Amino acid sequence: MSTLPVNVEEKLFQNRYRVDAGRPHVHIKDADVCQSECTAKSCTFVCPASCYKAEGNGAVTLITDGCLECGSCRILCTDHQNIEWDYPRGGHGILFKFG
Ligand code: SF4
């Protein structure tokens, strides 16, 4: 049995995302906590959609467009509980391509 290589980025590109302009469903509660208290910055490693980015000055930026609604960031930020997370409003967010 042979296995075909899977390109995750190609698979993710097949999804669609409806942006709810001005109403992101995931928020960083306090940016200062990320910058000055969090050394792990786990969200920047775990997010499969690369929504979080560690900046050179220690800050973390979040752009929710493309969020897969997996909830990993919310679960991993247990030390600081600095992420406010909800599902997008109806009709917005990720549209998965099946098959
Ligand atoms: Fe990334 Fe998942 Fe958090 Fe969305 S819910 S921002 S995909 S880790």
Side-chain angles (χ1 to χ4, degrees), residues 81-93:
Q81 303 204 352
N82 199 28
I83 292 173
E84 188 176 307
W85 198 102
D86 203 351
Y87 284 107
R89 293 192 301 160
H92 299 90

Side-chain angles (χ1 to χ4, degrees), residues 47-49 51-52 67-73 85:
C47 177
C51 293
Y52 295 87
C67 169
L68 301 171
E69 299 167 24
C70 68
S72 303
C73 54
W85 198 102

